[in-house]
Amino acid sequence: MAEKLNLKKLAFIGGGAMGEAIIKGITGASLMDPAAIFVGAHRQERADYLHETYGVTGLVDNQEAVRDADMVVLAIKPQMVDSVLDAKLAAAVNKNAVILSIMGSVTIEKIAGIFKGHSIIRTMPNTPLAVGAGMTAIAAGEGVPEEAVRAAEQIFGCCGETVLVKEKDIEAVTAVSGCGPGYVYVLIDALADAGVMAGLSRAAAIKLAAQTFAGAGKMVLETGKHPAVLRDMVTSPGGTTIAGIKALENGAVRGAMYNAVQAVLDRSEELRKH
């Protein structure tokens, strides 16, 4: 059994898809009594759904949701920061509460300007969190207690894998794992299309392609071997796999990945200027 979170009350501001995925992970792993988890949702219907599904306390009053919480998870869209995270909400937060953000492009500095005097942890999860296979980078602000960082690792560890990074690396994390599922979906779709062209049914081709990506990723994580080593293990001299890899290299798939990551970094920089 996983070690329980050392929190008396955990509050969420935002109960959308990502917030729900985290709640599902916490309750599914029995890290915390659902009755000690409070969620500030935008609509009463959503608050009721979260309560009925996970046993948490759903509210449409954010101030009530955060009151006396040891940790407050900011699970709203970045564009909602100014309208949701106001002075009244900040005043309702326990002075010793840790603020944990999953908002992309919102810096620790900006969050600290709203929740003055609080320890801030910024994270970058990705959408496979919803199926327990997420990848979350965790960046702690200055002076954050070690136990708070461990709590963040527990929370996201029950939804997938975690890695500790410096905040300066969050944009690169976004470009690799934050946006990465989108790249992989394109590749799965392309491989499935190729399978259909080779005569497979659409359903079979998608299943073959998706499970191949999932299995290959698991091989990298569980064996600890470099991807190139694993590639060589299935690449016989003069065989079929090396013929396929040559075609990929000729098609500049490797270069396309470099370009995709750089495009995200460039776009992120543009958005920060506006």
Side-chain angles (χ1 to χ4, degrees), residues 79-90:
Q79 56 267 35
M80 298 172 67
V81 169
D82 294 333
S83 60
V84 175
L85 306 183
D86 55 22
K88 288 183 178 180
L89 177 63

Side-chain angles (χ1 to χ4, degrees), residues 93-152:
V93 176
N94 185 311
K95 66 178 182 179
N96 296 317
V98 174
I99 307 298
L100 189 154
S101 170
I102 69 169
M103 301 182 295
S105 303
V106 182
T107 65
I108 289 174
E109 182 181 17
K110 181 173 180 62
I111 297 167
I114 300 168
F115 298 94
K116 296 178 174 61
H118 289 270
S119 293
I120 312 293
I121 299 175
R122 182 180 173 191
T123 68
M124 173 48 61
N126 63 11
T127 54
L129 204 74
V131 292
M135 182 66 241
T136 302
I138 300 169
E142 188 176 348
V144 175
E146 286 186 16
E147 57 267 30
V149 177
R150 284 198 300 272

Side-chain angles (χ1 to χ4, degrees), residues 9-16 23 37-44 46-47 50 57-77 80-94 97 99 103 114-115:
K9 178 180 176 179
L10 176 64
F12 285 77
I13 299 302
I23 292 166
I37 301 174
F38 287 65
V39 187
H42 182 61
R43 294 176 292 107
Q44 187 63 53
R46 184 64 178 173
L50 292 169
T57 301
L59 302 166
V60 290
D61 185 338
N62 287 335
Q63 293 178 47
E64 187 59 33
V66 303
R67 206 174 307 280
D68 299 322
D70 304 293
M71 179 177 280
V72 177
V73 180
L74 306 180
I76 58 174
K77 290 180 170 58
M80 298 172 67
V81 169
D82 294 333
S83 60
V84 175
L85 306 183
D86 55 22
K88 288 183 178 180
L89 177 63
V93 176
N94 185 311
I99 307 298
M103 301 182 295
I114 300 168
F115 298 94

Side-chain angles (χ1 to χ4, degrees), residues 2-67:
E3 181 183 353
K4 290 192 178 292
L5 283 166
N6 187 26
L7 300 171
K8 292 180 180 178
K9 178 180 176 179
L10 176 64
F12 285 77
I13 299 302
M18 292 296 275
E20 180 182 356
I22 298 169
I23 292 166
K24 179 181 178 181
I26 293 171
T27 55
S30 299
L31 293 186
M32 197 170 185
D33 182 353
I37 301 174
F38 287 65
V39 187
H42 182 61
R43 294 176 292 107
Q44 187 63 53
E45 294 85 352
R46 184 64 178 173
D48 292 342
Y49 162 79
L50 292 169
H51 171 67
E52 292 164 5
T53 306
Y54 304 103
V56 300
T57 301
L59 302 166
V60 290
D61 185 338
N62 287 335
Q63 293 178 47
E64 187 59 33
V66 303
R67 206 174 307 280

